[in-house]
Amino acid sequence: MKTDVEELSPTRVKLTIEVPFEELEHAFDVTYKSLAKQVRIKGFRPGKAPARLIDRYVGRGAVISEAVNHAVPELYNEAIQKEELFALGQPDVEVTKLEDNEEFAFTAEVDVRPKFEVENYKGIEVTVDSAEVTDEQVDEQISTLRERFSTLVGVERPVEDGDHLSIDLSAAIDGEKLEDVAVSGYSYEVGTNTMLEGLDETLRGMAADGEATFKTTLVGGEHEGKEADVTVTVHSVKVKELPELDDEFAQLASEFDTIDELREDVRNRMGEVRRIQQLSAARDKALEKLIESVDIPLPESVVDEEITRRRESLEQQLAQSGLTKASYLESQEKTEEEFEEELTTGARSAVKAGFILDQLALQEELSADQGELSQYVFQQAQRMGVSPDQLAQHLVESNQIRVAFTEVVRGKAMDLVLAEATVTDEDGNVVEQPKPESDEAAVEEAAKAAATAAAAEATESAEDAKDEDAK
């Protein structure tokens, strides 16, 4: 087989592959065996008809076409490995020469990962927020906890902001009562301004069993945008009563005996969360700096695929939430043009990050073993709310094993970058990074749930992929 590679761009090549006909012998053998089982020729059992009769029965041209269709993928993969190319996506194939018993040639255009080295990934400097927890932050968390244990107590005085009311609402336009604009016994907190314009102003100063009417513009429903006379009736006025911050409250709201123990636990928990947030921010910032430090061309087809994937993912999330794209853009205060620009920028950054981490993993000879893949399956299953065996089976059936392997290896490459980085907080303190530890319990559980079976298959496929990448 003769292979010629023409670089159409830094991310796309054209392979011209020429093959003597005798090298197609295997493809013809497979083709004849397949056709022999399909055709019925008098005097021969199924699968036993000789090649010359099959040529005559189905036509030599059909046999050659079938053999070529079988041979092209194998020849293409052989050429890719021989030329040490990392192909992205499916190639555009065109047969350029096909002469029976003489020569076969075809071209294949395909996007490829650009060739580059990841340099200067060690010593990246990033700054993150401080993980220190202040007294004010602890007080705020305790206040939130107090709110959960609050009670509503009735009062006999005019309504004020913060009061909790039970109210009835009805509306009328030009004296005609609107049956579809009415609620009874609705609980409402005054001052939140979450209902009709003018309601809070009307309620202030009213008392229990009081009634008042005000004009407002209706929002939503059949009469949206129309001005109406709205009548509000107050049934009860209550205030929120918070428990005292004492040892009794600590025993009520937690497993601790004293308020000091509760406060210390809140501080520790908040500190742990902030430390996790620190490391997450450090990871993101280190990756961002790494991306900025490497200048490589990106295949537009791969970027377009990532844009499509992200758009479809968002549309699915919006549909599940019952939202429209227009309402989403409004909530984000973005125009369609700004959304598309952000989508494209994010997609290009994600593709570039993938290329860089893949190359770094290749340089540092990083891989993933069965235990790491099992742990990945277990952790992803937890996030998705499914059992590890269900996820493992899905990965196998949808041919996503290679994706799982890639994610694990990219994670290890990013761990390497972060381990070599200098991370400080805004006060100049060095942020200590935890040493990676294997979650043996998670691995064991994943194995019990049959994730190990999928991981074993992933390991075999991934090792083949690793050998291919290393060429």
Side-chain angles (χ1 to χ4, degrees), residues 21 26 35 40 49 92 107 128 137-138 160 213 247 250 300 337 423:
F21 227 76
H26 173 68
L35 292 176
R40 294 294 181 267
D92 295 327
T107 61
V128 296
Q137 291 168 334
V138 173
E160 300 175 358
T213 300
D247 293 347
E300 291 305 319
E337 292 74 18
V423 183

Side-chain angles (χ1 to χ4, degrees), residues 15 23 56 66 82 98 110 117 122 128 140-141 153 159 194 203 280 320 341 375 402 422 430 453:
L15 292 88
E23 292 188 19
R56 187 184 307 169
E66 186 75 17
K82 175 185 175 183
L98 182 56
V110 66
E117 292 289 318
K122 297 182 179 181
V128 296
E140 184 179 346
Q141 193 72 15
V153 180
V159 172
T194 55
L203 289 172
S280 178
Q320 292 174 346
E341 181 179 355
Q375 186 172 351
R402 174 65 188 275
T422 300
V430 175

Side-chain angles (χ1 to χ4, degrees), residues 33 135 142 156 187 192 223 272 300 339 427 440 468:
K33 288 180 181 178
D135 291 340
I142 294 291
E156 294 183 2
S187 296
T192 56
H223 305 284
E272 183 61 29
E300 291 305 319
F339 168 77
D427 298 322
E440 296 181 0
E468 180 180 329

Side-chain angles (χ1 to χ4, degrees), residues 182-457:
V183 294
S184 298
Y186 185 79
S187 296
Y188 183 70
E189 182 179 353
V190 182
T192 56
N193 293 304
T194 55
M195 291 192 70
L196 297 169
E197 185 69 31
L199 174 61
D200 288 70
E201 290 81 355
T202 303
L203 289 172
R204 293 186 185 102
M206 292 182 64
D209 298 323
E211 182 177 288
T213 300
F214 63 98
K215 289 186 178 294
T216 190
T217 300
L218 299 178
V219 292
E222 179 182 351
H223 305 284
E224 180 178 4
K226 295 182 180 179
E227 187 177 66
D229 295 311
V230 176
T231 299
V232 56
T233 302
V234 178
H235 292 299
S236 64
V237 183
K238 296 182 179 181
V239 295
K240 185 181 293 185
E241 189 173 89
L242 300 175
E244 292 293 331
L245 282 179
D246 52 21
D247 293 347
E248 184 177 345
F249 169 69
Q251 295 164 18
L252 172 67
S254 71
E255 70 272 26
F256 300 103
D257 295 326
T258 68
I259 190 65
D260 290 338
E261 290 175 337
L262 174 58
R263 290 182 63 86
E264 185 62 23
D265 180 69
V266 169
R267 184 183 298 275
N268 291 337
R269 289 177 183 271
M270 292 183 67
E272 183 61 29
V273 170
R274 291 176 70 85
R275 280 188 288 274
I276 293 174
Q277 292 173 338
Q278 265 191 338
L279 293 175
S280 178
R283 196 179 186 89
D284 291 342
K285 291 184 176 183
L287 179 58
E288 184 178 337
K289 285 198 171 186
L290 181 62
I291 292 173
E292 292 174 354
S293 70
V294 180
D295 184 20
I296 55 173
L298 302 178
E300 291 305 319
S301 64
V302 179
V303 174
D304 290 342
E305 287 178 5
E306 179 65 16
I307 291 174
T308 299
R309 187 193 67 78
R310 290 178 171 230
R311 181 181 286 112
E312 291 177 347
S313 177
L314 174 61
E315 290 173 351
Q316 184 179 18
Q317 292 176 29
L318 293 177
Q320 292 174 346
S321 304
L323 301 174
T324 64
K325 186 177 179 181
S327 62
Y328 168 77
L329 292 177
E330 183 178 354
S331 68
Q332 297 295 310
E333 299 182 348
K334 294 176 185 175
T335 64
E336 181 73 29
E337 292 74 18
E338 289 172 336
F339 168 77
E340 289 296 328
E341 181 179 355
E342 184 178 284
L343 188 69
T344 301
T345 300
R348 297 186 71 85
S349 179
V351 170
K352 186 176 181 181
F355 286 169
I356 292 173
L357 294 177
D358 288 344
Q359 178 59 30
L360 180 57
L362 185 62
Q363 289 176 205
E364 299 297 333
E365 300 182 350
L366 302 178
S367 187
D369 59 30
Q370 183 171 313
E372 291 166 329
L373 286 166
S374 295
Q375 186 172 351
Y376 172 82
V377 171
F378 180 82
Q379 291 171 341
Q380 292 301 310
Q382 281 190 317
R383 293 191 184 100
M384 298 169 63
V386 300
S387 65
D389 59 319
Q390 286 178 311
L391 180 57
Q393 189 65 27
H394 170 73
L395 291 173
V396 172
E397 293 177 350
S398 59
N399 295 320
Q400 295 295 303
I401 291 298
R402 174 65 188 275
V403 174
F405 173 83
T406 299
E407 288 301 314
V408 173
V409 175
R410 285 179 178 177
K412 295 178 73 172
M414 193 60 232
D415 289 342
L416 178 61
V417 173
L418 195 58
E420 298 287 351
T422 300
V423 183
T424 56
D425 65 18
E426 55 196 358
D427 298 322
N429 301 313
V430 175
V431 177
E432 295 295 334
Q433 301 179 47
K435 295 181 180 180
E437 296 180 359
S438 175
D439 188 345
E440 296 181 0
V443 176
E444 182 179 352
E445 180 64 25
K448 289 180 180 179
T452 303
E457 182 173 336

